[in-house]
Amino acid sequence: MNQPTQLSPMVGAIDLMRVNIEALPLDALQSHAAQVLDTIGALNSYINSPGPKSSNALRNAMWLVRKLVLHMARVRDLINAHTAAVAVIASAQSSGAANLAQGLRPFGL
């Protein structure tokens, strides 16, 4: 049977950091965050696994983990910003509906 080819965690990390996260909607940001965390885990498994590895490979893997942690912080900031914006919009809509239900007239007349 043919098994699908999987990218190495190092190549996956580079691909994840190249995504324009500023343009992603909330659900895509959340799935991106899950992919970043999975890749960090895979890189940590590679770093801590027994077996021969070159010093360059270890150094690159550790560098990518640090870069992904910083990337993840930005992703979390964007998720929090999206969530706060949704909460503000929902609050404004509910307060606007409450004002209309009370029959408030414009300009305090």
Side-chain angles (χ1 to χ4, degrees):
M1 282 189 208
N2 290 337
Q3 295 209 3
T5 57
Q6 293 184 340
L7 295 176
S8 74
M10 291 184 192
V11 173
I14 293 168
D15 287 345
L16 287 172
M17 287 186 286
R18 288 183 176 173
V19 172
N20 182 10
I21 57 175
E22 313 291 333
L24 294 178
L26 181 59
D27 57 340
L29 271 173
Q30 291 169 335
S31 68
H32 182 77
Q35 290 174 344
V36 170
L37 291 175
D38 291 342
T39 304
I40 289 172
L43 283 169
N44 282 331
S45 294
Y46 171 75
I47 291 168
N48 296 319
S49 67
K53 295 175 211 64
S54 70
S55 61
N56 285 341
L58 282 175
R59 190 172 33 246
N60 288 339
M62 290 187 288
W63 180 79
L64 286 170
V65 168
R66 283 193 301 271
K67 293 290 282 185
L68 276 179
V69 167
L70 293 173
H71 181 77
M72 188 64 196
R74 181 67 183 137
V75 169
R76 285 185 178 148
D77 286 345
L78 288 172
I79 289 172
N80 289 338
H82 278 275
T83 305
V86 168
V88 166
I89 290 170
S91 174
Q93 287 175 342
S94 67
S95 68
N99 288 342
L100 288 175
Q102 291 177 359
L104 294 178
R105 291 179 272 171
F107 306 112
L109 299 173

